[in-house]
């Protein structure tokens, strides 16, 4: 007999058979009923102990958090609340738990408390559901791209270039921090460092993905990216996972179509395949909403929100139109925005993005054709000479979910742009080569994986959708 999982046993195919299971005790009631969880599903399996024929000392060790091994018969349950249960024939304690100090007591814990105990928080329903959905979303993403003829490309983690040009990078160095070699003019001499040059953790795999798109046609990256921006918000991490498709011969309109169908596919995938975890998180969110003032409550449940995105076209709005809407909006006129929108060219802050999606359009919005000078160097300049073929996808409750663009494929225009921004041609010689040898229109985007997980799970803080969040002043675990 091999060990089963709770997920298998609840499908009831094993009814009336002898089964074997290992898991952790959630609760032990009346010296008789063990609620056992093994992480395979949200649900516990009830294991009924014949306490009259079990040693007192053993019963005492069946405590919340203990790991146990059970053999018994799977039978139809007598009690309500579960269809089947295990009539225990043998019970072995694999690992004791101290009920006095075990942090995950069978009661409601705050998310802050669980963040401090992130190594145990997946023993709660909320976090096990979130992390199972995170895993499912990653699978759906690979499936979408694989089914659509994309190749998965592993972009390097250590890089010499700053793709986004924002200078928010973590240095990678093997030099002695206390006593680094210096150049003649007193700066650190990175030519003596491990790689013989200055290197950092990547902020994006895009530039390398472009090289692969320009040979394999359709590719995507899905890996960790790092940003040393000091944004202590509920939507920023210093280490986050990004999905970056890049496609040759595709323009900005094609890029929008791809992003929209991709997002709809993955949302639909979890709705169809992971209803149990979603329903649990939907109830959790409803309870949380009840604690908020009426005017801040969402008028849609979690699954309604997902269905809404799947069933409706994303609004496509140019930056210029968005500025007009924002300039004439109530919060702008009443000076309620922290950053008032006065003229064309202003960078949009999250308060503006959220106004557009949550108050004005009430649906996901694709903003496109941004002013060139608030976007990265690689974006395709429009004929007007002042906007670029950029797109950001904004989601209700999240803000920016996706950032992407059609890339500048004209060598002279790109070189000119790099010169104005002071980007060294020698550093990106290989990127410029793409524009010398068989250049073509191409586009791509980046999706912040954790922001997608937030949207799907309804969790309000990005720290609660990644196993071990890295944020300013925090790299515990
Ligand atoms: O808009 P961003 O900076 O775009 C890029 O990096 C491009 N190279 C993507 C491309 O065209 N291939 O980042 C893309 C997305 C954002 O829309 C956001 O969802 C997420 O990555 N993101 C973050 N998520 C969590 N924490 C942070 N600090 C993030 N910064 C960006
Ligand atoms: Mg962006």
């Amino acid at each position: 007999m091999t060990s089963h999982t709770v997920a298998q046993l609840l499908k009831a195919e094993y009814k009336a058979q002898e089964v074997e299971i290992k898991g952790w005790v959630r609760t032990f009631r009346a010296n008789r009923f063990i609620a056992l969880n093994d992480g395979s599903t949200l649900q516990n399996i009830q294991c009924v102990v014949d306490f009259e024929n079990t040693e007192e000392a053993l019963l005492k060790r069946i405590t919340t958090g203990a790991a146990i091994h059970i053999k018994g018969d799977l039978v139809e349950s007598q009690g309500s609340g579960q269809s089947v249960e295990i009539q225990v024939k043998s019970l072995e304690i694999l690992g004791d738990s101290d009920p006095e100090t075990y942090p995950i007591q069978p009661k409601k814990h705050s998310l802050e408390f669980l963040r401090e105990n992130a190594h145990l928080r997946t023993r709660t329903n909320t976090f096990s559901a979130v992390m199972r959905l995170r895993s499912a979303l990653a699978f759906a993403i690979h499936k979408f791209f694989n089914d659509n003829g994309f190749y998965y490309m592993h972009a390097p983690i250590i890089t010499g270039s700053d793709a986004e040009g924002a200078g928010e990078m973590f240095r990678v160095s093997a030099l002695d921090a206390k006593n680094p070699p210096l150049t003649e003019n007193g700066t650190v001499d990175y030519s003596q460092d491990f790689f013989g040059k200055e290197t950092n953790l990547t902020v994006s795999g895009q530039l390398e993905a472009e090289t692969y798109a320009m040979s394999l046609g359709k590719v995507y990256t899905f890996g960790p990216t790092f940003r040393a921006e000091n944004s202590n918000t509920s939507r920023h991490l210093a280490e986050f996972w990004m999905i970056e498709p890049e496609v040759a011969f595709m323009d900005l309109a094609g890029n929008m179509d791809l992003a929209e169908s991709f997002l709809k596919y993955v949302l639909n995938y979890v709705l169809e395949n992971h209803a149990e975890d979603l329903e649990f998180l939907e109830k959790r969110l409803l309870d949380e909403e009840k604690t908020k003032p009426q005017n801040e409550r969402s008028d849609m449940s979690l699954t309604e929100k997902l269905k809404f995105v799947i069933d409706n076209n994303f609004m496509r709005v140019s930056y210029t139109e968005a500025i007009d809407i924002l300039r004439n909006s109530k919060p702008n006129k009443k000076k309620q925005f922290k950053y008032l929108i006065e003229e064309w060219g202003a960078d949009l802050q999250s308060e503006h993005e959220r106004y557009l999606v949550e108050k004005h359009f009430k649906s996901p919005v694709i903003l496109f054709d941004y002013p060139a000078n608030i976007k990265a160097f690689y974006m395709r300049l429009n004929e007007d000479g002042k906007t670029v073929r950029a797109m950001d996808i904004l989601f209700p409750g999240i803000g920016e979910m996706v950032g992407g663009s059609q890339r500048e494929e004209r060598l002279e225009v790109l070189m000119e742009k790099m010169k104005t921004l002071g980007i060294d041609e020698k550093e990106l010689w290989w990127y410029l080569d793409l524009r010398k040898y068989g250049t073509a229109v191409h586009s791509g985007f980046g999706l912040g994986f954790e922001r997608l997980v937030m949207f799907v799970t309804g969790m309000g803080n990005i720290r609660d959708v990644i196993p071990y969040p890295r944020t300013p002043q925090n790299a515990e675990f």
Side-chain angles (χ1 to χ4, degrees):
M1 187 169 57
T2 53
S3 230
H4 302 100
T5 64
V6 174
Q8 286 173 326
L9 295 186
L10 291 180
K11 286 191 191 129
E13 285 151 25
Y14 297 87
K15 224 186 287 179
Q17 289 180 30
E18 195 177 61
V19 296
E20 181 171 350
I21 192 149
K22 293 169 185 164
W24 294 270
V25 176
R26 282 286 174 88
T27 56
F28 184 39
R29 217 163 32 82
N31 255 351
R32 240 189 123 185
F33 302 106
I34 303 172
L36 192 72
N37 191 285
D38 68 354
S40 61
T41 159
L42 187 71
Q43 304 208 43
N44 304 324
I45 193 152
Q46 173 156 290
C47 305
V48 188
V49 181
D50 176 7
F51 68 101
E52 278 162 1
N53 296 310
T54 308
E55 280 172 50
E56 180 77 27
L58 183 61
L59 289 175
K60 281 223 169 79
R61 291 172 66 198
I62 308 174
T63 58
T64 298
I68 63 173
H69 178 189
I70 275 175
K71 290 180 194 167
D73 294 326
L74 190 71
V75 298
E76 212 150 305
S77 177
Q78 313 296 312
S80 61
Q82 63 276 321
S83 58
V84 291
E85 63 190 22
I86 300 175
Q87 226 100 61
V88 177
K89 286 197 210 145
S90 91
L91 187 154
E92 181 194 357
I93 307 281
L94 299 173
D96 289 286
S97 171
D98 181 351
E100 296 298 314
T101 58
Y102 183 56
I104 313 296
Q105 296 294 325
K107 62 161 196 177
K108 204 171 153 52
H109 293 287
S110 74
L111 294 174
E112 290 77 14
F113 173 82
L114 291 170
R115 232 169 270 151
E116 286 160 17
N117 289 284
H119 59 308
L120 294 171
R121 67 179 174 173
T122 30
R123 294 199 193 178
T124 65
N125 285 338
T126 297
F127 282 93
S128 67
V130 168
M131 294 307 162
R132 273 189 300 269
L133 284 167
R134 182 181 165 108
S135 169
L137 282 165
F139 174 76
I141 287 164
H142 285 301
K143 183 160 166 51
F144 173 87
F145 286 123
N146 189 62
D147 290 354
N148 285 284
F150 283 71
Y151 295 109
Y152 180 26
M153 181 236 179
H154 298 103
I157 307 278
I158 299 174
T159 159
S161 49
D162 180 3
E164 294 306 301
E168 294 165 333
M169 296 183 296
F170 290 101
R171 174 164 296 134
V172 175
S173 173
L175 293 177
D176 179 0
K178 277 203 212 102
N179 190 21
L182 298 178
T183 60
E184 273 172 15
N185 45 29
T187 57
V188 176
D189 184 5
Y190 287 105
S191 71
Q192 295 187 47
D193 204 346
F194 190 92
F195 298 106
K197 62 189 279 192
E198 243 187 293
T199 49
N200 299 290
L201 294 178
T202 189
V203 296
S204 156
Q206 176 198 321
L207 303 192
E208 290 88 356
E210 280 186 53
T211 67
Y212 269 53
M214 295 305 281
S215 49
L216 301 184
K218 296 201 275 185
V219 299
Y220 71 105
T221 71
F222 187 172
T225 48
F226 307 86
R227 298 205 181 170
E229 52 184 330
N230 204 356
S231 315
N232 227 330
T233 78
S234 57
R235 287 173 181 76
H236 288 88
L237 290 165
E239 175 180 298
F240 64 98
W241 288 66
M242 189 160 35
I243 297 101
E244 296 184 274
E246 192 69 34
V247 182
F249 315 116
M250 183 177 77
D251 65 7
L252 187 65
N255 206 19
M256 293 185 200
D257 293 342
L258 175 66
E260 185 167 345
S261 59
F262 164 62
L263 282 163
K264 287 179 171 172
Y265 175 88
V266 296
L267 297 182
N268 194 52
Y269 178 87
V270 288
L271 266 181
E272 283 188 353
N273 297 283
H274 294 272
E276 185 177 89
D277 286 327
L278 278 176
E279 273 163 27
F280 174 81
L281 291 171
E282 171 159 308
K283 285 198 202 97
R284 191 203 77 86
L285 194 61
L286 270 177
D287 289 343
E288 194 183 83
E289 293 263 306
K290 280 184 201 145
T291 66
K292 291 185 188 165
Q294 194 81 39
N295 62 345
E296 282 175 32
R297 289 185 203 166
S298 165
D299 43 14
M300 274 192 245
S301 74
L302 186 59
T303 44
E304 278 167 349
K305 271 190 232 167
L306 302 187
K307 285 189 184 134
F308 182 87
V309 172
I310 294 166
D311 294 339
N312 291 282
N313 290 335
F314 294 7
M315 302 294 300
R316 299 185 183 194
V317 183
S318 74
Y319 167 89
T320 304
E321 288 170 72
I323 285 290
D324 280 341
I325 293 166
L326 288 167
R327 210 172 1 207
N328 296 314
S329 69
K330 241 197 214 162
N332 203 54
K333 288 187 166 155
K334 290 192 167 169
K335 302 203 177 351
Q336 287 159 341
F337 282 143
K338 189 163 165 230
Y339 298 91
L340 294 179
I341 297 287
E342 265 139 25
E343 55 199 311
W344 192 94
D347 202 355
L348 300 185
Q349 306 295 325
S350 74
E351 56 179 347
H352 309 126
E353 297 177 341
R354 296 189 67 165
Y355 174 83
L356 290 171
V357 284
E358 285 159 29
K359 298 277 185 300
H360 190 84
F361 290 107
K362 296 189 173 28
S363 95
V365 175
I366 309 183
L367 287 187
F368 61 92
D369 284 354
Y370 281 74
N373 58 5
I374 58 170
K375 288 290 182 187
F377 77 97
Y378 50 70
M379 298 187 182
R380 175 67 152 81
L381 190 65
N382 276 314
E383 282 60 48
D384 62 12
K386 57 175 193 172
T387 60
V388 285
R389 278 178 207 163
M391 64 164 199
D392 275 7
I393 305 187
L394 314 177
F395 261 54
I398 303 290
E400 183 187 331
M401 177 81 91
V402 164
S405 66
Q406 184 175 323
R407 318 307 188 187
E408 185 56 78
E409 85 285 13
R410 298 163 298 180
L411 183 64
E412 306 73 43
V413 184
L414 184 59
M415 285 187 21
E416 190 58 40
K417 184 71 188 265
M418 286 168 63
K419 205 154 122 202
T420 349
L421 294 175
I423 301 170
D424 192 354
E425 269 177 40
K426 286 194 212 90
E427 286 294 323
L428 288 180
W429 62 274
W430 49 274
Y431 190 70
L432 291 169
D433 263 6
L434 296 178
R435 279 76 186 166
K436 287 185 196 158
Y437 308 116
T439 193
V441 164
H442 63 288
S443 305
F445 62 83
L447 166 75
F449 185 49
E450 284 73 22
R451 297 201 182 165
L452 175 69
V453 183
M454 284 177 80
F455 185 72
V456 166
T457 59
M459 300 301 282
N461 193 317
I462 199 162
R463 292 167 180 78
D464 296 331
V465 299
I466 187 165
Y468 297 107
R470 268 66 179 116
T471 50
Q473 300 298 312
N474 173 43
E476 194 63 40
F477 304 102

